[in-house]
Amino acid sequence: MQLPKLTPLQSRLLASLIATCILVVIWIEFQPKYFVYAAELPSVLEDGAHGQFGQAIPPDDANIPIIERIREDQSRGEEAQGSSGYSPILEADRGEEETPQDMGYSPDFAYFDRSLIGRAPQSVVVLTNNVKKEEDSNPGTTRNFVLEKSQLRARRAGDISERGVGGEVDGDHEDEVEGERLEKRQSGTQVWISANTCRQPLPNTPIITEQDSPQLTLWISNSTRNQKPGPSSTNDLAIAPVKFQGGYANFTLHTTSDIFIGVSAPLLTDGWAGSWHFEVAASVDGYYHSYHEDETFLFMVDTDSESALFITPNITANNDTASIDKWKNMDPFPFIMYTQSNNDWGPMTGMERSFCALQVSMTQETNTTVVSSITTKFGEWPINSAKGQFHVQGLKNGTAYQGFLAINGTAQGLEIAGKGIVRNGGQVWRQFNWTTKAEDSCQVVFGLGFCSDVAYAVPSSSQYNFDSLVALYDKQAEEYYQNFTNSLDQVACDTTGTAQYSLARTCDDCRTDYKTWLCSVLMPRCEDFSATDPWLQPRNIAVPFPNGTLAYPQNNTAVFNTTIRNRFAFAQSRNSMIDTVIKPGPYKEMLPCEDLCFDIVRSCPAQLGFSCPNEPARSLTYGKRREDVLTCSFPGAVVDLNVMKGGAAGRVVEVALVAAVTAIVGGFLWI
Ligand SMILES: *[C@@H]1O[C@H](CO)[C@@H](O)[C@H](O)[C@H]1NC(C)=O
Ligand SMILES: *[C@@H]1O[C@H](CO)[C@@H](O)[C@H](O)[C@H]1NC(C)=O
Ligand SMILES: *[C@@H]1O[C@H](CO)[C@@H](O)[C@H](O)[C@H]1NC(C)=O
Ligand SMILES: *[C@@H]1O[C@H](CO)[C@@H](O)[C@H](O)[C@H]1NC(C)=O
Ligand SMILES: *[C@@H]1O[C@H](CO)[C@@H](O)[C@H](O)[C@H]1NC(C)=O
Ligand SMILES: *[C@@H]1O[C@H](CO)[C@@H](O)[C@H](O)[C@H]1NC(C)=O
Ligand SMILES: *[C@@H]1O[C@H](CO)[C@@H](O)[C@H](O)[C@H]1NC(C)=O
Ligand SMILES: *[C@@H]1O[C@H](CO)[C@@H](O)[C@H](O)[C@H]1NC(C)=O
Ligand SMILES: *[C@@H]1O[C@H](CO)[C@@H](O)[C@H](O)[C@H]1NC(C)=O
Ligand SMILES: *[C@@H]1O[C@H](CO)[C@@H](O)[C@H](O)[C@H]1NC(C)=O
Ligand SMILES: *[C@@H]1O[C@H](CO)[C@@H](O)[C@H](O)[C@H]1NC(C)=O
Ligand SMILES: *[C@@H]1O[C@H](CO)[C@@H](O)[C@H](O)[C@H]1NC(C)=O
């Protein structure tokens, strides 16, 4: 290697540089080991202006030695930087509990960077309020962290403004803050500690996957007698060790002292290999990472053989455009939805509660895609709040899946109406299971131009894709509706007073109810022919399945022909276009709810001659609502993933059946 040629000036500069370095090294060698040894100082020195913790505020002169010591440090060439807005505070309440340097963590200047002072033991990671620390961990090892008590006050500066999220600061609010301060004085500051596993050891044989995957353990001590809590240092723990569940652990405590945290990794049993990666955070505002065991925060709208549609409950309190647009404009999209097959070991197995693991899994190669958006559909139109909508595509037919929903938080805290604030570490809801349809005769549609409330699986066939299917149905519905409004216009509709056909209902109600009913009967809610729920009605059974077999091949008896094969209700669809154009093969229909029919009879002028069929025809044509399960189709119907339950937009219908005439309006649609 060739050395660069130096000019005389450069070589002189180099020489003096080397000399300076040597001098500095010698100087450091002669320094006492500790710049500041704080053991003899009496107690916590509070920021006098606030005195929040209520300890005796030390006399003025108590500050002098500290400031002098700091100056002394600086004059020796240390660059100590106080965090702006705080006066330098010396942490010194360890008294007789002072431990030797090699025991681990030792007292220090708050707000001074340890790397500058150079005394922090390498094995203890210093946590900052609301900032996560990521670490790797090998089997059988423990990682240690400390949250210094100076961090417990971090909230003070932003106290009012932070609490003001989503609401103004009024008198009551200040009382509340004041009450909280009093509480703090009595019991210390509340600290929330949470951890997420991002990566874990993997099974190296397929057999082992039935065992629970090995989980980390969280250890917490708030005593200086145990500064490195873990399996080998179990004295003075603040709580019994918390084992991670599904890659998540949390704990909250009130304290006035430093908090020492350990995260230990178990030894691996046979069949497992690898190490962990995890993150830990402590906050005085609430859990940095959170997990909700009590709900899935998601409804399933419907599924077909390769996709599924989900929506969340309301995420805005009302239909105010500004709050809806705020969600629509969020970048990156805040919700994360991930799915994996229920049968195999998947990237999320064993880390179901970890946002960090979800973020990692999301980036892995899968054949499923999730199209996410914010929607205002699925509610009592027009007063709709925003909701998250997820269309999961690329699934396999007849397969059980696990779904994971999470939301990314923000540093300021992201507010979900009625659900609280999500912080940086994200929030995960309970996972849920669902199964895709086995047959290819149904397809989930949503977002139609005319039948805008339709969002479920409709009869389909392989020759139609999403767009062509939607266009076909929607155009037909619009045509029927046009003919209906032409008829309605001939009725004395827009008159007032005594000429009006009803004081309670108007022609607008009639139009709305007709449209709802029309869309529901033209686009039946479709299920697999192999589905066995008793409220499902077989349709189109006379034609063979796409693979050529018949739904009822062997039965050629006369009784079968008259009761099933040749009956309109079984042999055909309500909408003949389905049988003649779409040709889905045999399928089952979830019948529209009978209240959709009652509504038109009630709302529309009698001249139009609407009525609902009587039994026994009615139960072949309309379904009855039930509280516990979705038994009939109506706009906005969803499946609750917590309990199988119908009707987020459920309405109680108490209308007596008006007439028994078999109506001919709409012709074939009625039977
Ligand atoms: C963790 O958080 C959940 C919900 O916030 C809470 O119910 C649970 O008790 C917490 N666990 C611990 C050990 O504090
Ligand atoms: C340490 O934690 C325990 C349990 O939460 C609490 O009772 C105790 O007051 C804490 N000690 C200090 C010094 O904060
Ligand atoms: C959702 O919001 C709408 C309008 O703001 C409201 O009518 C509806 O009851 C809400 N739904 C739930 C489940 O809270
Ligand atoms: C979560 O939000 C942070 C900050 O906005 C961003 O850096 C990160 O990529 C987001 N994660 C996901 C999975 O969207
Ligand atoms: C994706 O689909 C292809 C073809 O069906 C299959 O070979 C591959 O294993 C799938 N990948 C995953 C991650 O499921
Ligand atoms: C919002 O809701 C109000 C009733 O609370 C309703 O009058 C209004 O039409 C709705 N606006 C939109 C855009 O849906
Ligand atoms: C998925 O569809 C294929 C072809 O239609 C069929 O052979 C298979 O049995 C279906 N799988 C399940 C689990 O139903
Ligand atoms: C989902 O399926 C998995 C695997 O079969 C099972 O362990 C889990 O309990 C199921 N979850 C729910 C909510 O049913
Ligand atoms: C609408 O009415 C016109 C004229 O009576 C008729 O030709 C057409 O077929 C009707 N359309 C539907 C979809 O019934
Ligand atoms: C044809 O398809 C139907 C419905 O998917 C199924 O039940 C039947 O077993 C299939 N027949 C053959 C011979 O694969
Ligand atoms: C019943 O219908 C099938 C198929 O159309 C036919 O082959 C059979 O002869 C009929 N049975 C009787 C008794 O009519
Ligand atoms: C044929 O259908 C009738 C009426 O549903 C039923 O009673 C009979 O058992 C069936 N016979 C066979 C062979 O499936």
Side-chain angles (χ1 to χ4, degrees):
M1 192 179 122
Q2 207 185 355
L3 283 171
K5 225 174 168 151
L6 299 175
T7 66
L9 189 67
Q10 279 172 329
S11 22
R12 241 177 286 156
L13 192 70
L14 189 68
S16 58
L17 212 72
I18 292 168
T20 314
C21 287
I22 292 169
L23 264 173
V24 167
V25 168
I26 292 168
W27 175 76
I28 286 170
E29 280 304 299
F30 279 93
Q31 291 305 301
K33 200 166 179 202
Y34 310 118
F35 291 142
V36 175
Y37 197 73
E40 71 280 11
L41 279 169
S43 67
V44 189
L45 299 178
E46 264 294 322
D47 178 355
H50 292 74
Q52 192 169 348
F53 291 84
Q55 283 114 337
I57 295 167
D60 283 348
D61 63 353
N63 281 314
I64 294 164
I66 298 152
I67 289 159
E68 273 176 5
R69 276 158 196 270
I70 292 162
R71 289 218 184 94
E72 209 178 342
D73 274 353
Q74 284 167 333
S75 68
R76 285 177 192 166
E78 286 287 344
E79 283 201 18
Q81 293 163 343
S83 161
S84 65
Y86 293 98
S87 50
I89 292 164
L90 188 63
E91 296 204 344
D93 65 341
R94 292 192 173 74
E96 75 290 342
E97 286 173 20
E98 181 62 288
T99 47
Q101 182 78 12
D102 59 11
M103 269 286 289
Y105 170 77
S106 70
D108 207 344
F109 282 112
Y111 308 111
F112 285 19
D113 191 331
R114 273 163 190 279
S115 62
L116 293 173
I117 298 171
R119 287 190 296 122
Q122 290 189 333
S123 56
V124 176
V125 177
V126 181
L127 291 176
T128 311
N129 180 38
N130 282 327
V131 178
K132 70 177 178 191
K133 287 282 182 193
E134 293 181 55
E135 291 293 327
D136 283 315
S137 195
N138 286 320
T141 63
T142 302
R143 292 302 208 139
N144 285 97
F145 303 84
V146 61
L147 182 76
E148 296 169 328
K149 68 167 174 271
S150 59
Q151 293 292 324
L152 305 185
R153 279 163 292 183
R155 182 168 173 179
R156 184 190 297 165
D159 223 349
I160 302 288
S161 62
E162 260 175 52
R163 296 187 51 83
V165 171
E168 72 289 16
V169 180
D170 53 17
D172 282 357
H173 207 98
E174 278 172 28
D175 285 354
E176 207 178 290
V177 172
E178 199 45 55
E180 203 176 298
R181 285 199 183 126
L182 186 71
E183 194 186 305
K184 272 187 197 169
R185 237 171 272 145
Q186 287 159 352
S187 58
T189 310
Q190 187 167 12
V191 181
W192 284 268
I193 296 157
S194 57
N196 266 190
T197 309
C198 307
R199 189 190 69 223
Q200 65 179 2
L202 294 172
N204 49 21
T205 59
I207 305 114
I208 199 136
T209 61
E210 277 131 48
Q211 286 180 25
D212 287 337
S213 52
Q215 298 280 341
L216 301 167
T217 304
L218 181 68
W219 305 75
I220 294 167
S221 146
N222 59 353
S223 162
T224 47
R225 285 186 294 268
N226 187 355
Q227 302 190 2
K228 295 177 92 178
S232 56
S233 178
T234 60
N235 60 298
D236 295 291
L237 294 177
I239 36 124
V242 181
K243 194 170 177 192
F244 283 51
Q245 278 185 296
Y248 177 74
N250 62 328
F251 185 69
T252 177
L253 78 168
H254 281 91
T255 189
T256 54
S257 59
D258 292 348
I259 298 174
F260 305 95
I261 299 166
V263 175
S264 69
L267 288 167
L268 292 180
T269 52
D270 278 354
W272 295 90
S275 62
W276 287 263
H277 184 77
F278 65 91
E279 54 186 44
V280 172
S283 168
V284 296
D285 304 316
Y287 284 119
Y288 181 91
H289 311 92
S290 39
Y291 169 72
H292 280 251
E293 172 62 29
D294 51 345
E295 63 178 328
T296 56
F297 203 66
L298 208 59
F299 299 107
M300 187 169 85
V301 176
D302 208 348
T303 173
D304 58 35
S305 58
E306 65 93 36
S307 77
L309 183 66
F310 298 91
I311 53 154
T312 68
N314 289 343
I315 51 172
T316 56
N318 52 44
N319 66 0
D320 162 47
T321 322
S323 52
I324 292 171
D325 285 350
K326 196 192 88 186
W327 281 92
K328 284 189 171 164
N329 296 335
M330 272 180 206
D331 188 31
F333 191 74
F335 285 104
I336 292 174
M337 190 171 165
Y338 182 78
T339 58
Q340 67 183 30
S341 158
N342 210 343
N343 306 321
D344 315 317
W345 177 273
M348 287 298 292
T349 308
M351 298 191 290
E352 293 85 356
R353 304 180 174 190
S354 165
F355 183 78
C356 183
L358 262 178
Q359 265 180 311
V360 173
S361 302
M362 283 242 313
T363 62
Q364 294 184 0
E365 191 68 25
T366 61
N367 286 336
T368 56
T369 52
V370 181
V371 179
S372 308
S373 57
I374 299 291
T375 180
T376 51
K377 296 267 167 61
F378 309 102
E380 322 278 325
W381 192 86
I383 41 166
N384 282 347
S385 299
K387 299 163 179 72
Q389 173 177 288
F390 310 93
H391 191 210
V392 185
Q393 292 158 290
L395 305 172
K396 294 198 188 81
N397 62 333
T399 307
Y401 283 92
Q402 286 176 297
F404 302 87
L405 178 71
I407 188 166
N408 202 355
T410 60
Q412 306 82 38
L414 176 64
E415 189 176 19
I416 304 176
K419 294 288 166 190
I421 306 275
V422 184
R423 300 185 190 284
N424 305 44
Q427 175 164 300
V428 180
W429 284 278
R430 201 184 70 202
Q431 68 182 101
F432 51 88
N433 297 343
W434 87 94
T435 305
T436 51
K437 288 189 170 62
E439 296 156 26
D440 202 16
S441 51
C442 310
Q443 173 154 11
V444 170
V445 294
F446 60 95
L448 280 69
F450 178 72
C451 287
S452 52
D453 288 344
V454 167
Y456 47 76
V458 298
S460 173
S461 61
S462 51
Q463 71 200 80
Y464 288 94
N465 64 22
F466 184 96
D467 291 330
S468 57
L469 191 69
V470 160
L472 191 64
Y473 277 113
D474 214 30
K475 183 165 162 286
Q476 189 199 24
E478 214 168 345
E479 280 171 13
Y480 272 105
Y481 185 74
Q482 189 53 52
N483 281 8
F484 160 78
T485 49
N486 292 347
S487 310
L488 188 62
D489 289 344
Q490 285 156 32
V491 178
C493 214
D494 295 321
T495 53
T496 50
T498 49
Q500 207 178 336
Y501 66 91
S502 158
L503 290 176
R505 314 299 296 174
T506 65
C507 281
D508 282 342
D509 294 317
C510 176
R511 282 190 194 95
T512 307
D513 289 342
Y514 181 80
K515 183 181 165 184
T516 304
W517 170 85
L518 181 70
C519 290
S520 303
V521 294
L522 286 180
M523 305 178 67
R525 187 164 178 143
C526 174
E527 296 280 349
D528 281 341
F529 190 79
S530 55
T532 53
D533 291 323
W535 52 83
L536 299 179
Q537 177 71 31
R539 294 286 187 188
N540 205 18
I541 60 168
V543 299
F545 287 110
N547 63 12
T549 53
L550 281 162
Y552 296 98
Q554 285 101 15
N555 204 327
N556 283 334
T557 59
V559 59
F560 181 78
N561 282 3
T562 50
T563 58
I564 298 178
R565 181 174 290 145
N566 298 339
R567 285 283 297 279
F568 185 96
F570 297 91
Q572 295 164 50
S573 302
R574 279 178 207 248
N575 179 353
S576 60
M577 184 186 78
I578 294 173
D579 301 342
T580 58
V581 179
I582 297 173
K583 300 196 180 108
Y587 66 98
K588 283 187 178 170
E589 176 186 353
M590 182 181 280
L591 297 169
C593 296
E594 57 186 12
D595 47 85
L596 301 186
C597 182
F598 301 160
D599 281 351
I600 332 181
V601 173
R602 192 179 44 151
S603 300
C604 290
Q607 292 97 305
L608 291 178
F610 286 115
S611 75
C612 298
N614 270 332
E615 295 293 3
R618 195 195 301 161
S619 53
L620 292 174
T621 324
Y622 292 101
K624 284 186 168 39
R625 289 197 197 216
R626 261 168 56 179
E627 272 299 302
D628 53 339
V629 63
L630 190 64
T631 53
C632 63
S633 168
F634 59 93
V638 293
V639 179
D640 190 335
L641 292 159
N642 283 321
V643 251
M644 291 295 276
K645 190 177 165 190
R651 284 176 294 171
V652 182
V653 177
E654 294 163 7
V655 187
L657 189 58
V658 185
V661 196
T662 307
I664 304 302
V665 179
F668 54 88
L669 297 174
W670 289 94
I671 302 180

